[in-house]
Amino acid sequence: MPGFDTLPIEETLEDSPQTRSLLGVFEEDTASISSYFSQLFKAMQRIYDAQNELSAATHLTSKLLKDYEKQRFPLGGDDEVMSSTLQQFAKVIDELSSCHAVLSTQLADAMMFPITQFKERDLREIVILKEVFQIASDDHDAAINRYSRLSKRKENEKVKNEVMEDVYTSRKKHHETTMHYFASLNMLQYKKKIVLLEPLLGYMQAQISFFKLGSENLTQQWEDFLTDIGTSVQNVRREMDSDAEAMDQTIQDLKEASDPLYMPDPDPNTVPVNRNLTRKAGYLNTRNKTGLVSTSWDRQYFFTQGGNLMGQSRGDVAGGLVMDIDNCSVMAVDCEDRRFCFQITSFDGKKVAILQAESRKDCEEWIATINNISKRIYLSENPEEIAARVNQSALEAVTPSPSFQQRHESFRPSTQGRPRTGRSGSQCSVGSESPALSSLSLDSLVASDTPIQFDIISPVSEEHASQAKSAGQGRTNPFGESGGPESEESEDSILHQLFIVRFLGCMEVKATESADVIYETMRQILAARAIHNIFRMTESHLLVTCESLKLIDPQTQITRLRFSLSSVVLCASHQENKRLFGFVLQTAGGRVDGRPVTVCYVFESNNDGEQICDSVGLAKQIALHSEMDRKASQKQREMNKAKEKQQEELHKQKQIEKDLEEQSRLIAASSRPSQTAADGQVLVLSNSQSEDSDVGEEGQKKGESEA
């Protein structure tokens, strides 16, 4: 056998010491092979595991790139270019993932399978044969030892035969085991070369196949795409570097300009006090009572909004109302040996707030700002800007903006208002004029000098007044709604949907042709609430059925208002704040002249306003189909009734004809000549026959008159 020595199988029966010495060399070589291949197996196993992890990671990356367009980042807008680019990347990486999966399969078959078989089968077989060989060798030595101790003086044939049989069996077993063991050790010299080269060959072939597959999939189109993406990345990097330089310069400028502001109490000569402010924001310490005589000071962020002082703690999304500063009084005070304190007292004197500023300048500016707001000093501003600001403040006060960024931008007093991007179509916002409104005056939508009702008049409050009135003189609401005890609707109504709403107000309107009348009503009601500082809203449950709309008190379950579904002529939600919705109600009476009254109701809901409007529309459709079915069934009943009446008339006519025939027969019988009897006497009709003849004549005359 060229290249290496082998164990002589023909010398296994002799079992010479030289053969045992050579066997020891082979066993040491086997131990070295086992140790080396164990390390090689671990290395290849790591390659295979890494390839599997790479394949799984590539597949996961492709999946995440595909799901990018479904993600909603709080600060990121909809970037269609980025989404389409990542979709193309996902397609390429998905193909690479398939290639990696094929590579993993090839590595498992061509690299891991041979070396695993060698470790689990061949090396294990040699270990087992070595143990069997050692046992057989020990048994053979023991049998030879017993055979050698046979007595020469006292020969026992039976014992001698048993010992000789034992020697024969053990020697045969030892010889066969040794031959198999030597053969396996000789074959191991071949297998170690095969097993060393076969996995490496499979690994290289799998890698070459992987690279070929990748070169086939990555065509020139993908190379051009990657080149374009690389150029775009470089452009973005240059833009980022430019913005970083500008940002660094801005930071440097702000550091130089803000150096005097780092001091908590700057020199008034360096930073003068501005007493003409109408907006102010900053951190103040507010004094709170924690007991009868104990107090605590909390640091909060305060800002002015319209005629209100708002406060916001760190971590809060929006600010809350602290107090109304219209017509209030403010002055500097000494409080608990603290500096720069001032006190705000509401116009009715019921609410007092003691605040502490960081510096004398800050304290004086807060006092001047609150005085300016309290006196309503807006002389230098344009009246249109004042109206727009009041409308915006009303909208923010009633319903915070749904966007996190818009909420915080609206709370920054120093930020100037930016013109919003106009919406196309019929969309419009509260405080902004839609294209339809540009051609119509406000008077054509909303009745002039019409009152605004901000609260719901509950029927419970008028219970005693209604008892004093007669049963036929019910209370008349100027806006046409009805409340109080109602006849319960049918429990088997098809539609029952309940929504939580808050009543903002209602007012009489003129036009009902488009949703612009609802938007204009929203604008006027919210502006009026902001001007009159009305922030309380009545919460109710709006029940939408196929017959009516009900406003139910959530605590007492009493129906506050009930609107017939047929009187709802228009329903729409706000285009920007989806929680605002309204509907227009048209009533037949309500005024002295009897003309229809059209009223617009505005609500705020926890749900989407479009969902409520869709529910109302669905209820009207169901009601329309129900009304059509009712009219069809009523018409069918009328037709059946007319048919029954016609059958009854025909039956009466047949009865009359039958009676006429009977009367004619009786008349004919009575008009025959008098019959004489055999004895010459004259036959006289009886009284009953004469009466029948009279009745027959009268019936005949009546029949002729009816004919």
Side-chain angles (χ1 to χ4, degrees), residues 1-7 9 26 182-183 185-190 193:
M1 185 178 297
F4 49 83
D5 296 332
T6 59
L7 288 170
I9 299 178
F26 270 78
F182 281 17
L185 291 177
N186 291 334
M187 291 298 101
L188 184 63
Q189 303 301 318
Y190 288 104
K193 292 186 176 181

Side-chain angles (χ1 to χ4, degrees), residues 115-143:
I115 194 170
T116 303
Q117 288 290 100
F118 176 72
K119 179 183 177 183
E120 299 294 335
R121 185 182 64 184
D122 298 332
L123 293 180
R124 185 176 180 82
E125 180 183 359
I126 289 176
V127 171
I128 295 174
L129 286 175
K130 181 180 179 180
E131 294 177 355
V132 174
F133 167 75
Q134 191 66 36
I135 295 172
S137 178
D138 295 341
D139 292 343
H140 180 258
D141 292 341

Side-chain angles (χ1 to χ4, degrees), residues 430-625:
V430 174
S432 61
E433 192 172 10
S434 67
L437 286 176
S438 61
S439 60
L440 297 174
S441 64
L442 300 182
D443 293 338
S444 62
L445 296 177
V446 180
S448 60
D449 300 331
T450 182
I452 298 178
Q453 181 177 327
F454 294 109
D455 201 356
I456 299 176
I457 302 176
S458 177
V460 178
S461 62
E462 300 186 0
E463 180 180 359
H464 300 287
S466 61
Q467 289 178 357
K469 296 181 180 180
S470 60
Q473 296 177 351
R475 178 175 61 89
T476 302
N477 193 296
F479 292 107
E481 68 267 16
S482 59
E486 295 285 344
S487 59
E488 295 295 332
E489 298 177 3
S490 60
E491 296 295 335
D492 56 350
S493 180
I494 300 177
L495 183 66
H496 278 86
Q497 290 190 352
L498 194 67
F499 303 96
I500 300 176
V501 298
R502 287 171 292 279
F503 180 70
L504 295 179
C506 64
M507 61 185 299
E508 184 180 350
V509 296
K510 291 183 178 180
T512 59
E513 288 79 10
S514 66
D516 293 331
V517 63
I518 298 179
Y519 304 148
E520 176 61 22
T521 306
M522 290 179 180
R523 188 190 70 82
Q524 292 199 17
I525 290 177
L526 295 177
R529 277 182 168 267
I531 293 173
H532 297 288
N533 298 321
I534 301 174
F535 300 103
R536 185 177 63 85
M537 294 178 288
T538 304
E539 184 171 288
S540 304
H541 289 173
L542 177 62
L543 178 62
V544 181
T545 64
C546 299
E547 291 82 10
S548 63
L549 304 180
K550 284 185 178 182
L551 286 178
I552 302 173
D553 191 333
Q555 296 181 355
T556 62
Q557 298 300 318
I558 296 178
T559 302
R560 290 173 172 170
L561 297 178
R562 181 182 182 277
F563 309 110
S564 175
L565 197 63
S566 60
S567 62
V568 179
V569 297
L570 190 63
C571 185
S573 63
H574 198 274
Q575 296 292 340
E576 294 182 358
N577 189 352
K578 297 298 183 181
R579 294 169 58 188
L580 292 178
F581 74 97
F583 55 84
V584 178
L585 187 72
Q586 190 172 22
T587 59
R591 289 296 180 90
V592 178
D593 52 1
R595 65 179 180 84
V597 178
T598 306
V599 183
C600 180
Y601 292 82
V602 179
F603 296 88
E604 182 189 29
S605 173
N606 295 339
N607 306 89
D608 193 349
E610 292 184 357
Q611 181 182 356
I612 300 177
C613 294
D614 293 341
S615 178
V616 174
L618 177 62
K620 290 183 71 67
Q621 291 182 2
I622 295 175
L624 177 61
H625 288 291

